[in-house]
Amino acid sequence: MGLDVWLAFTAASIVLLVIPGPTILLVVSYALGQGWRTAVPMAVGVALGDFTAMTLSMLGIGALLATSAIVFTIVKWLGAAYLIWLGIKLFRSGASMQSEAREADVSPLKMLTHAWLVTSLNPKSITFFVAFLPQFLNRHGDFWTQMLIFEATFLVLSFSNAFLYAFAAHRARSLFKSPRILRAFNRTGGTLLIGAGVATATMRAS
């Protein structure tokens, strides 16, 4: 795997992670209700959930890669289209971020478990990884080495992202209630996601 591929994967992962989904909304809701103490258990739970979903997805992709080059290429194109669709959906979501503060006292272990379950059992997580990861895989490289590098990179970014979201929700609550800021955030994220999908499709077509 070349450094350029790893850097592209890292950049795309950062863009995708910062876009609020069900997992981030859960992290924010706990942080709004219970403060900074939620950051570590929630971040660990999110990372474990992403590890579960990503491993299942990678194993399925590995089997697909070994079976048919044509089908694997089709999956890459569908993945690019999926990224564009997600971007359009986010861009049109306006100023929405449905996250209510969870005031009930919950132990760190329960927070961790809740985050893990929401992240790993969300069908969209596995679908997302199946669509996203093939864009960066080299069919002629060692699959297990690539799997290890991609998973380690993504999990570090996933933990950091969840931790920072929890910290930000606690320290800057007004930002998560401002329609103007949320609208700009969603439109920026949507545009970047569409750009990632278009770039991927163009790269594979050339």
Side-chain angles (χ1 to χ4, degrees):
M1 180 194 304
L3 179 61
D4 57 333
V5 175
W6 181 81
L7 290 174
F9 173 82
T10 300
S13 296
I14 291 173
V15 171
L16 297 169
L17 282 168
V18 298
I19 296 171
T23 298
I24 291 303
L25 294 181
L26 180 68
V27 170
V28 170
S29 67
Y30 271 113
L32 289 175
Q34 302 185 42
W36 63 269
R37 75 182 186 91
T38 66
V40 172
M42 292 301 292
V44 172
V46 170
L48 289 175
D50 278 329
F51 173 76
T52 302
M54 197 174 187
T55 300
L56 292 174
S57 302
M58 288 289 279
L59 292 176
I61 293 170
L64 182 64
L65 181 132
T67 301
S68 171
I70 295 177
V71 175
F72 185 73
T73 300
I74 292 174
V75 169
K76 288 182 178 180
W77 278 92
L78 291 176
Y82 181 61
L83 295 180
I84 294 172
W85 178 79
L86 287 177
I88 294 173
K89 184 178 179 181
L90 179 64
F91 188 92
R92 297 178 62 185
S93 66
S96 63
M97 190 179 198
Q98 305 300 322
S99 182
E100 299 295 331
R102 294 174 180 265
E103 303 289 351
D105 189 34
V106 178
S107 70
L109 180 59
K110 287 185 177 180
M111 288 185 218
L112 187 155
T113 303
H114 195 179
W116 172 66
L117 289 173
V118 169
T119 305
S120 62
L121 297 182
N122 182 2
K124 290 183 179 180
S125 294
I126 296 178
T127 303
F128 165 75
F129 283 125
V130 169
F132 177 63
L133 291 171
Q135 318 304 324
F136 303 94
L137 283 174
N138 181 353
R139 291 192 66 252
H140 305 291
D142 182 72
F143 173 76
W144 296 105
T145 299
Q146 294 180 80
M147 178 176 173
L148 177 62
I149 294 173
F150 285 145
E151 287 212 20
T153 300
F154 194 89
L155 295 182
V156 170
L157 295 174
S158 175
F159 176 90
S160 302
N161 182 66
F163 184 91
L164 291 174
Y165 255 111
F167 185 78
H170 170 63
R171 299 289 295 180
R173 298 186 178 198
S174 60
L175 294 180
F176 290 85
K177 297 180 181 179
S178 169
R180 180 175 60 85
I181 292 177
L182 291 178
R183 185 179 295 109
F185 183 82
N186 287 340
R187 287 181 176 177
T188 300
T191 300
L192 291 173
L193 202 53
I194 293 170
V198 171
T200 297
T202 303
M203 178 178 65
R204 296 304 172 184
S206 61

